[in-house]
Amino acid sequence: MKAQLLTGPGPAASRPLTLVERSALRPRPGEIAIDVAACGVCRTDLQLVEGDLPAHRLPVVPGHQVVGRVAALGAAVERWQVGDRVGVAWLGGACGHCDLCRSGHENLCADAEFTGWDRDGGYATSMLARADFSFPIPDGFTDEEAAPLLCGGVIGYRSLRISGIEPGGRLGLYGFGASALLAIQVALHWGCEVYVATRSEVEQQRALEMGAVWAGAAHDRPPVDLDAAVTFAPVGSVVVAALSALRPGGTVAINAIHLDRIPEFDYDLLWRERSLRSVANFTRHDAEEFLALAVEIPVRTLSDLFPLAEANTALERLSEGGIGGAAVLSTAPDPPSA
Ligand SMILES: [Zn+2]
Ligand SMILES: [Zn+2]
């Protein structure tokens, strides 16, 4: 098998990943081996590769938006058969017995393991995954279309849920990158009025083309009070802007692993039962629910394909802002080069 290995972080331009040949993987009990077809390139991968997200172990194979086929079963695996199409996402495992796991909050488990961070991920032709943390990919999407849904798509969906937005409600999206591009499709499917605030004029235009009723700059106030908002931009002042656009009782869901300081704001903005909530990872249930909905809508993804051998190039483009939709690594013999 081939894998893109991170041995030490560095700027994407220094090409930190090395393509190596490794011996075939053998699944341990409870695991499956997967022949990887496609793996999405996420901003979190870039943060790991560049060292902004400290590595949990090195060397490591990044990649946590994996679509492939089951190639081998470890002992005690009954859920899967060789040849099944399978997806693996960021949550690669959780303990299953702590209070959080048992109450439906496995995304918050202190012993959670993450794909491409604690476990080797999908920047490879083959990988191992826990059988119980792998899920079926519904028909209706190609491998390359499905891959970007597995991180930004699912977490965008969870953010909508946490924001409490209801069908037909007025929703604000702050920032309009890969995850928001998928979230807006769900919100429009629910009949929501969507208001998009982003500093990029190109993204404002795209939001309007996709069906937003209003688009403005990052700190502009939408013309109506919002029932709920999701912030995607990793900027604290945007959270305050979103909060100040909420009706009483509304919620801002913060979809960001890292956020700079949230500036001081008047209690009046929070008063009258407004809420601020963060969104951390997602559960298997979120992933399965979102994938079923994504087929029904159907959610469209815009993928820029790169061969596995060009993972460094894909990360470099992402760091330069040169990816229009979602970057996806493909193990197909000759994927069209982006
Ligand atoms: Zn991700
Ligand atoms: Zn747990």
Side-chain angles (χ1 to χ4, degrees), residues 8-331:
S14 72
R15 308 184 73 77
L17 297 174
T18 314
L19 189 65
V20 298
E21 189 73 44
R22 288 176 140 186
S23 50
L25 300 171
R26 290 170 132 221
R28 291 161 291 205
E31 287 184 340
I32 52 176
I34 298 170
D35 282 339
V36 177
C39 184
V41 177
C42 179
R43 195 154 283 280
T44 305
D45 301 339
L46 180 64
Q47 289 171 336
L48 171 70
V49 163
E50 296 201 316
D52 295 328
L53 178 69
H56 272 182
R57 62 180 186 82
L58 288 171
V60 68
V61 179
H64 57 270
Q65 304 175 84
V66 190
V67 178
R69 303 289 178 289
V70 176
L73 307 175
V77 173
E78 288 171 3
R79 187 182 174 195
W80 299 103
Q81 297 196 325
V82 170
D84 286 349
R85 186 155 83 142
V86 65
V88 184
W90 179 234
L91 187 64
C95 83
H97 48 74
C98 70
D99 289 347
L100 289 163
C101 280
R102 288 194 310 183
S103 61
H105 300 92
E106 63 189 15
N107 58 311
L108 304 177
C109 175
D111 293 321
E113 290 184 315
F114 298 100
T115 311
W117 197 21
D118 300 297
R119 305 178 60 101
D120 281 340
Y123 284 21
T125 54
S126 176
M127 71 175 282
L128 297 175
R130 267 178 66 166
D132 54 347
F133 278 80
S134 307
F135 35 84
I137 301 292
D139 294 339
F141 294 112
T142 66
D143 299 335
E144 290 78 13
E145 286 167 345
L149 300 176
L150 295 180
C151 189
V154 188
I155 200 147
Y157 174 73
R158 184 175 176 86
S159 303
L160 292 177
R161 284 291 190 209
I162 285 191
S163 80
I165 188 68
E166 291 187 358
R170 290 168 166 170
L171 173 73
L173 299 178
Y174 287 75
F176 205 61
S179 186
L181 275 168
L182 299 170
I184 191 176
Q185 297 179 57
V186 174
L188 293 171
H189 178 73
W190 286 342
C192 298
E193 271 177 25
V194 182
Y195 298 80
V196 174
T198 172
R199 65 179 175 187
S200 156
E201 287 181 15
V202 174
E203 288 177 359
Q204 290 171 23
Q205 193 53 43
R206 185 183 293 167
L208 293 172
E209 285 163 10
M210 289 183 76
V213 293
W214 175 90
H219 297 88
D220 284 358
R221 201 180 186 295
V224 297
D225 287 349
L226 303 172
D227 295 315
V230 180
T231 66
F232 296 91
V235 183
S237 59
V238 167
V239 173
V240 179
L243 193 58
S244 65
L246 279 190
R247 66 156 166 82
T251 298
V252 175
I254 304 171
N255 179 345
I257 299 182
H258 298 288
L259 192 69
D260 60 10
R261 272 179 70 84
I262 299 180
E264 207 173 62
F265 57 85
D266 288 339
Y267 178 56
D268 277 357
L269 290 187
L270 199 57
W271 169 238
R272 302 189 73 203
E273 303 196 342
R274 295 179 180 92
S275 317
L276 272 183
R277 292 190 62 182
S278 63
V279 183
N281 318 317
F282 51 80
T283 65
R284 285 171 282 179
H285 183 69
D286 293 325
E288 283 167 11
E289 214 172 73
F290 171 68
L291 287 172
L293 181 64
V295 169
E296 183 189 318
I297 293 177
V299 166
R300 302 204 182 287
T301 56
L302 211 69
S303 304
D304 286 351
L305 290 185
F306 296 83
L308 175 62
E310 288 180 26
N312 281 310
T313 309
L315 287 166
E316 208 179 334
R317 294 264 183 90
L318 186 64
S319 78
E320 292 162 352
I323 302 283
V328 175
L329 303 179
S330 171
T331 58

